Amino acid sequence: MAERPEDLNLPNAVITRIIKEALPDGVNVSKEARSAISRAASVFVLYATSCANNFAMKGKRKTLNAGDVLSAMEEMEFQRFVPLLKDSLEAYKKGQKGKKEASEQKRKEKDKKTDSEENDKSREEENEEEEERMEEEETKEGEEEEAED
């Protein structure tokens, strides 16, 4: 848990970016207003987390999940945001699935490349061994011919 209340505040850069994206161009926000919005956002996050935790505890779980958060939003009387949150969650899941599939594809391609390189190395080693055997045989034949003379 945080040692000081200020530790629970969201980063100013994040708050500033959100404010700029939410307001039309040319609208300025004072430092005091930005600070108040930051504190309000932090309180909201803590309250939503607490409510979601209550739903997790009712389900005898220690891990909060998306359903807990959505239920908390309804309990906090933010029902109108639930459909948007569900859409965002679906988009996030699709993005994660796409990333996972891309990662698996890269891994398979890397494995194929590694297997191919290993096969190439095995062939090279076999060829080198064959050459060494042939050289040894030639050397033995030469020695045998000299011994016969």
Side-chain angles (χ1 to χ4, degrees), residues 8-123:
L8 299 173
N9 288 342
L10 298 170
N12 286 331
V14 173
I15 297 299
T16 301
R17 188 177 71 234
I18 292 170
I19 291 170
K20 283 184 179 181
E21 289 175 5
L23 296 174
D25 289 338
V27 175
N28 295 320
V29 179
S30 71
K31 187 175 180 180
E32 189 176 277
R34 210 174 17 252
S35 178
I37 291 170
S38 177
R39 280 187 249 130
S42 296
V43 168
F44 175 80
V45 169
L46 291 170
Y47 182 54
T49 303
S50 177
C51 289
N53 187 50
N54 290 339
F55 282 100
M57 288 173 53
K58 286 177 189 174
K60 297 181 181 175
R61 292 177 284 109
K62 290 185 177 184
T63 304
L64 303 181
N65 61 36
D68 297 328
V69 175
L70 295 172
S71 296
M73 293 300 288
E74 289 177 356
E75 183 177 285
M76 294 165 39
E77 298 182 12
F78 284 101
Q79 297 90 340
R80 70 185 190 134
F81 292 105
V82 171
L84 289 170
L85 290 171
K86 285 182 180 180
D87 291 344
S88 294
L89 180 61
E90 283 304 311
Y92 172 78
K93 285 180 180 179
K94 285 180 184 176
Q96 291 300 306
K97 185 178 179 183
K99 285 181 183 179
K100 184 177 179 182
E101 289 171 354
S103 175
E104 288 175 3
Q105 184 66 29
K106 280 184 180 180
R107 193 188 86 246
K108 286 179 183 179
E109 288 174 5
K110 184 179 178 183
D111 289 348
K112 275 185 183 178
K113 186 178 179 182
T114 302
D115 289 345
S116 175
E117 288 174 355
E118 287 176 2
N119 289 339
D120 290 346
K121 285 180 182 177
S122 294
R123 283 189 215 115

